[in-house]
Amino acid sequence: MTLEPLKLELEEKVPGCGLEIISNPSPSAQHSLLIDPEHAVAVAMYLRDAAHLRFDYCSNVTGIDWPAPNDAGKAKLKDMEEDLEQDEADCATAGYLEVVYHLYSMEKKHGPVILRMRTCDRGLRVHLPSLVSVWRSADFQEREIFDLFGVIFDGHPDLRRILMWDEYTDHPMRRDYVEPDDYEYEPTAHDEVLRKTMNHYAK
Amino acid sequence: MTTLAEAPPKSTLSPSASNGDTQLLEVSMGPQHPSTHGVFRMDVSLDGETVVKLKPIFGYLHRNHEKIAENETYLGSMPYTDRLDYFCSITNNWAYALSVETLAGIVVPERAEYLRVITAELTRLQNHTCLAGFLMQDMGASGTPLMYAFREREKILDLFESLTGARMMCNYMRFGGCRVDLPAGWLEQAKTVVAAFPKFLDEFEALLNGNEILMARTQGVGVLSKELAINAGVTGPMLRASGVNYDLRKVDKYGIYDRFQFRIPLGDHGDVYDRYMIRVLEMRESVKILEQAMRDLPEGLIQDPKTKVRNFKPKPGEAYGRIESPKGELGFYLVSDGTPRPYRFRVRPPSLINLTILEDMCLGRNVADVVIILGSVDIVMGEVDR
Amino acid sequence: MDEGLKSELSKQGVVATNLQELYNWGRRNSIWPLNFGLACCAIEMIASTMARYDMARFGAEVFRPSPRQADLMIVAGTITKKMAPQVVRLYNQMPEPKYVISMGACAISGGPFKQGYNVLKGIDRYIPVDIYIPGCPPRPEALIDALMALQRKIDAQQLTGDSRPRHLNADEPSEFTVPKFGAHDLEPPQNPVVWHAPLVQIALAEDDDSGTA
């Protein structure tokens, strides 16, 4: 499905929504639409209900962590946590969390249309709107992203940890997650496990 | 139901108990429970025997497939996909291989496509028989149907074993083809197994279909409406039992499914009985596909010679590939940053998303029905929690 | 009694035995496993009770849904950190004498999922294990072999003396600490009463780049 006409149509039907086509250079050519969080629910509603689109089926919801490429970003993030009033321009250097929705239509049997949303940073400003009110299939998947990435979905009816226990405080799918060091022993240590075991005893 | 001599504190009262005669009972079904499938847990609130609230609790088999895959090469993740839905390792392999092929633009040779269809449909047969057997077990038909199902499953596992070396964890597909070609005599043996399968189905259906207990326990139980099923992203036999004609073998026509003559069975009530019947009918259609595929199987390569399976390094980009696994739409979403390891590796698990509507189906039913409704969803915890 | 005489007598239809042999004979031939599966291995466990492999031949077909009625816990599958407290609790609820078979690579050491943040690296960190079966998953024949190994182990148990099994020794513990959920990991990460890391020599050659895959 070509995205340019869809983008123009959405801009007309949902006034003020910021859309950007993210092109995908791989042979799959599955390009996606970056939408701004404020208008996400309106855009999703339109995609679902417009008679010629009817994207009634949200197949897959994914979280992706994009940390800042260098240490400068990390320092910046620390500053920002102290001062939340910094302007938008700084966000770009602090890395972000991204949520990707894959939409198909069961009625028209077409798709996919891929929507993406990005948080402002990876620290405190990680709120995104929940699309559960549009597609219930996003329910468990958004909870999973909350659990493993730490994205907070505003408007989700039951936002709790889903895979890890409630007392858990980390977000293990983030790239900078440090796992607990319990590599005391491995009967057939090899590769990465051997390295981790050696690190355990080196401490 | 007990009549309380003294009114209990307000907080323990159910909505219907404001008259002061019943008290809600909180039951945690699972994670160790004889009737749940694996380590699944439901926190159920009961008003007498009736379910008034049901919250599924996941994560007891969350073994971090996605995180491990991000630190593993593309090929290194293939054996892990076997262990997602451990009943259907071959369809898992296929979904992953298909995603990588979409990501890197790989073409699969014709013979390999046929081998994929043959092994995947055999997988569907053994998954659906076992599901039917487990469903009967949940209903109290202890032993017999499940014994029959496993007897047939062993025959198919023998085929897998002689082809791939393993009964359950086949690890059969590769990017751009399959790992090994058929050993001598395999096709004849497979034809015998497939030819005998309809006889087993006749026997199975004769044993169960008209059974009064089966009808009473399943008809009108756990009804799922078409609209809710679509909105909740339910896929696979569950969706089709609610009357939605959506089978990726027909919609996407991935692989070579457009070459075969087969029909998609649809239900019209969306209850447990329909979900059971859909699976039986799908097995009959799978037999048809298998007969055609084994008849037309061409000679040729089984692996695209241009694809480097080892040291595989796709260009930066992303791809979502999906197939119709026996449980529903199984998808893999891969993000590549040009290195030998995927930047993001996501599994779209049909079992997990099919559970979204579990509470809706169970509300107002008896606690004994919960077990059957869960059985008809056909979940495997390895895939639900990953 | 001398073994030769015993076998001579048995040919004549006279069975000579003693209390210990009779007791162990009865126990080893009616092991009731707990109906408890965790992951992939559980399917092979089910397969081994079904028509082709038929574990009933060895007296172990009565899978009990309640730990109160079970003698044997087959830990079949990956134990996640979220599940580990429940596994220990189930073990504690089983009455003595009780035995544990650790089935498959995951239950032994975490197996292929060892590097997962939520995967326990072996159930023997929390409860004592009698038999380990390698494999991913082990075949039903391997499970039956493990069951027979357990039967031999039961057969060799003395009723009296210092080497008598745990259930006949009132000083030995029968229950073990259930770990608690912590902020990053289980607390404690292993039970030092049951398990401590074996002393192993770990070496990696300078130019070994196997770890980089």
Side-chain angles (χ1 to χ4, degrees):
Chain A
M1 193 160 210
T2 46
L3 285 178
E4 281 81 14
L6 186 66
K7 177 173 180 267
L8 293 176
E9 186 187 336
L10 280 169
E11 275 166 351
E12 188 198 325
K13 299 287 178 184
V14 186
C17 73
L19 296 172
E20 190 189 328
I21 294 177
I22 309 283
S23 74
N24 178 356
S26 83
S28 74
Q30 293 173 345
H31 309 297
S32 48
L33 265 182
L34 180 69
I35 56 178
D36 69 323
E38 286 119 76
H39 298 91
V41 177
V43 168
M45 280 287 189
Y46 182 76
L47 286 173
R48 189 191 68 180
D49 294 335
H52 64 293
L53 299 172
R54 291 292 289 146
F55 286 100
D56 48 9
Y57 166 45
C58 172
S59 163
N60 182 34
V61 187
T62 312
I64 310 179
D65 183 16
W66 298 99
N70 50 35
D71 291 339
K74 262 184 203 161
K76 202 123 217 173
L77 185 65
K78 223 171 227 172
D79 292 345
M80 276 170 50
E81 278 171 15
E82 286 159 13
D83 180 17
L84 269 176
E85 298 303 311
Q86 297 230 351
D87 41 324
E88 291 279 312
D90 284 353
C91 291
T93 54
Y96 53 87
L97 302 167
E98 188 174 46
V99 180
V100 186
Y101 294 80
H102 285 79
L103 312 179
Y104 288 89
S105 170
M106 282 194 187
E107 192 182 303
K108 303 271 176 200
K109 304 218 170 13
H110 59 199
V113 158
I114 304 166
L115 300 183
R116 318 179 87 91
M117 279 193 283
R118 288 174 184 172
T119 62
C120 194
D121 62 39
R122 301 169 68 246
L124 293 170
R125 288 187 278 180
V126 288
H127 289 260
L128 285 179
S130 165
L131 298 187
V132 176
S133 55
V134 187
W135 297 287
R136 264 192 72 186
S137 53
D139 186 350
F140 290 161
Q141 305 190 68
E142 284 183 354
R143 268 178 75 187
E144 189 182 318
I145 295 166
F146 164 72
D147 186 352
L148 304 182
F149 288 90
V151 177
I152 298 166
F153 289 94
D154 298 320
H156 191 288
D158 185 23
L159 197 64
R160 289 177 293 134
R161 283 193 180 266
I162 183 169
L163 293 174
M164 304 304 285
W165 52 87
D166 291 335
E167 293 86 350
Y168 199 69
T169 52
D170 299 335
H171 300 296
M173 280 301 285
R174 289 201 185 187
R175 307 292 289 191
D176 51 6
Y177 167 73
V178 182
E179 62 181 335
D181 183 13
D182 46 5
Y183 290 88
E184 295 93 343
Y185 173 60
E186 157 67 29
T188 53
H190 56 87
D191 292 1
E192 207 63 43
V193 179
L194 179 56
R195 274 177 206 285
K196 286 181 178 174
T197 314
M198 289 172 77
N199 286 342
H200 176 89
Y201 284 103
K203 272 178 200 163
Chain B
M1 224 182 275
T2 49
T3 311
L4 295 168
E6 223 176 328
K10 268 270 185 281
S11 60
T12 60
L13 288 174
S14 73
S16 72
S18 45
N19 313 327
D21 54 331
T22 57
Q23 194 178 1
L24 276 196
L25 181 67
E26 303 268 347
V27 182
S28 170
M29 287 174 79
Q32 201 273 331
H33 186 271
S35 67
T36 54
H37 296 227
V39 284
F40 183 57
R41 176 177 157 201
M42 294 170 281
D43 276 357
V44 191
S45 297
L46 298 173
D47 182 2
E49 275 277 302
T50 315
V51 177
V52 294
K53 201 178 102 191
L54 185 146
K55 290 287 167 214
I57 316 266
F58 306 97
Y60 292 100
L61 195 54
H62 175 48
R63 42 190 183 182
N64 328 121
H65 177 61
E66 293 179 6
K67 186 78 176 178
I68 292 172
E70 284 172 14
N71 297 311
E72 196 48 89
T73 56
Y74 280 88
L75 180 61
S77 291
M78 187 61 91
Y80 286 95
T81 62
D82 288 337
R83 287 152 183 85
L84 277 173
D85 171 357
Y86 33 78
F87 265 104
C88 317
S89 60
I90 286 180
T91 46
N92 299 344
N93 290 167
W94 195 356
Y96 179 49
L98 188 82
S99 306
V100 175
E101 283 152 10
T102 319
L103 180 67
I106 301 170
V107 184
V108 183
E110 178 136 321
R111 184 175 170 84
E113 290 279 24
Y114 272 90
L115 291 181
R116 285 180 174 192
V117 169
I118 292 170
T119 47
E121 292 304 320
L122 284 171
T123 305
R124 198 180 310 276
L125 285 184
Q126 58 101 358
N127 177 75
H128 283 1
T129 25
C130 288
L131 173 272
F134 279 121
L135 184 62
M136 298 307 145
Q137 180 95 344
D138 287 348
M139 222 171 284
S142 190
T144 313
L146 190 59
M147 284 272 186
Y148 280 22
F150 266 74
R151 184 191 67 198
E152 294 309 306
R153 180 175 183 259
E154 290 292 341
K155 292 178 191 164
I156 293 172
L157 293 195
D158 281 348
L159 291 174
F160 288 165
E161 193 180 356
S162 61
L163 176 60
T164 69
R167 282 156 53 83
M168 280 171 70
M169 306 305 173
C170 297
N171 187 14
Y172 182 56
M173 307 227 178
R174 289 290 177 266
F175 318 136
C178 298
R179 180 159 57 91
V180 283
D181 208 339
L182 301 182
W186 193 90
L187 202 60
E188 287 67 41
Q189 200 191 340
K191 278 179 181 162
T192 323
V193 171
V194 171
F197 206 83
K199 280 198 208 91
F200 157 70
L201 284 177
D202 292 341
E203 183 193 17
F204 202 71
E205 287 197 76
L207 178 70
L208 296 167
N209 277 10
N211 186 298
E212 203 169 321
I213 301 173
L214 178 83
M215 310 284 245
R217 290 295 305 274
T218 58
Q219 289 191 334
V221 173
V223 178
L224 176 63
S225 74
K226 206 170 171 173
E227 294 71 31
L228 184 60
I230 294 175
N231 193 253
V234 172
T235 45
M238 262 192 90
L239 177 74
R240 295 192 285 276
S242 294
V244 183
N245 186 359
Y246 195 75
D247 186 318
L248 298 182
R249 290 176 292 176
K250 291 279 189 194
V251 175
D252 280 10
K253 299 190 180 63
Y254 61 93
I256 47 164
Y257 272 110
D258 48 349
R259 298 188 193 176
F260 304 115
Q261 296 287 320
F262 65 104
R263 291 181 305 165
I264 304 297
L266 294 179
D268 40 29
H269 299 99
D271 56 4
V272 174
Y273 186 77
D274 275 12
R275 274 173 233 142
Y276 158 70
M277 276 313 294
I278 289 283
R279 271 140 183 152
V280 174
L281 294 172
E282 270 190 15
M283 282 193 267
R284 293 196 184 272
E285 296 301 318
S286 286
V287 169
K288 281 189 208 163
I289 299 174
L290 277 166
E291 281 165 354
Q292 295 168 51
M294 289 195 290
R295 186 192 63 209
D296 301 340
L297 177 68
E299 291 297 319
L301 290 173
I302 58 155
Q303 171 71 40
D304 177 29
K306 282 182 294 213
T307 308
K308 265 172 74 184
V309 173
R310 281 167 200 280
N311 298 321
F312 181 75
K313 234 193 250 183
K315 291 191 190 77
E318 60 174 48
Y320 178 67
R322 54 178 195 161
I323 68 158
E324 182 73 32
S325 91
K327 306 276 192 292
E329 174 184 327
L330 176 65
F332 282 81
Y333 174 61
L334 301 167
V335 180
S336 162
D337 56 354
T339 60
R341 293 149 200 245
Y343 185 81
R344 178 78 174 100
F345 179 104
R346 153 87 181 161
V347 188
R348 188 263 184 215
S351 300
L352 173 71
I353 296 161
N354 286 359
L355 285 173
T356 310
I357 34 65
L358 183 66
E359 185 177 18
D360 302 65
M361 291 195 291
C362 292
L363 287 185
R365 306 296 319 182
N366 286 347
V367 68
D369 292 336
V370 172
V371 176
I372 297 176
I373 293 169
L374 180 69
S376 74
V377 178
D378 190 12
I379 59 165
V380 163
M381 290 316 285
E383 188 179 79
V384 172
D385 292 340
R386 285 149 290 136
Chain C
M1 190 187 282
D2 153 72
E3 282 299 317
L5 177 59
K6 213 158 125 183
S7 112
E8 254 340 283
L9 279 173
S10 74
K11 282 177 195 156
Q12 304 301 321
V14 180
V15 181
T17 186
N18 57 33
L19 184 63
Q20 178 179 311
E21 275 177 19
L22 193 65
Y23 176 70
N24 286 342
W25 170 81
R27 286 199 304 135
R28 97 172 122 83
N29 288 313
S30 66
I31 299 173
W32 288 8
L34 180 62
N35 189 350
F36 171 60
L38 288 166
C40 335
C41 290
I43 307 301
E44 288 296 57
M45 184 175 82
I46 295 168
S48 64
T49 64
M50 288 294 154
R52 182 181 288 183
Y53 298 99
D54 195 12
M55 225 159 54
R57 294 176 293 159
F58 303 91
E61 85 279 22
V62 195
F63 273 77
R64 303 311 298 183
S66 164
R68 303 284 184 202
Q69 302 165 344
D71 311 308
L72 167 67
M73 177 188 243
I74 302 175
V75 183
T78 316
I79 309 106
T80 60
K81 287 177 179 169
K82 193 168 179 179
M83 189 64 197
Q86 276 76 315
V87 178
V88 179
R89 200 166 287 137
L90 282 168
Y91 181 76
N92 287 348
Q93 287 174 354
M94 285 165 61
E96 290 280 7
K98 53 188 171 186
Y99 302 94
V100 174
I101 290 180
S102 176
M103 181 180 183
C106 291
I108 295 174
S109 72
F113 296 96
K114 187 181 181 73
Q115 296 191 60
Y117 47 85
N118 191 26
V119 176
L120 184 70
K121 289 153 189 68
I123 190 59
D124 52 6
R125 290 181 182 227
Y126 289 115
I127 56 176
V129 173
D130 295 277
I131 310 281
Y132 297 85
I133 329 172
C136 189
R139 297 175 57 91
E141 290 95 327
L143 180 60
I144 290 173
D145 182 47
L147 184 73
M148 289 160 73
L150 181 66
Q151 288 180 329
R152 285 194 294 277
K153 185 171 181 170
I154 293 175
D155 233 4
Q157 286 184 333
Q158 306 283 321
L159 293 193
T160 51
D162 287 343
S163 60
R164 67 189 189 277
R166 207 177 63 203
H167 68 276
L168 296 173
N169 189 346
D171 300 333
E172 293 274 337
S174 144
E175 295 191 359
F176 295 90
T177 319
V178 179
K180 293 196 168 51
F181 292 132
H184 307 288
D185 197 0
L186 288 177
E187 288 163 5
Q190 68 269 63
N191 186 353
V193 179
V194 183
W195 188 85
H196 46 84
L199 285 173
V200 280
Q201 197 69 40
I202 299 162
L204 187 66
E206 281 291 304
D207 54 348
D208 185 351
D209 60 349
S210 60
T212 55

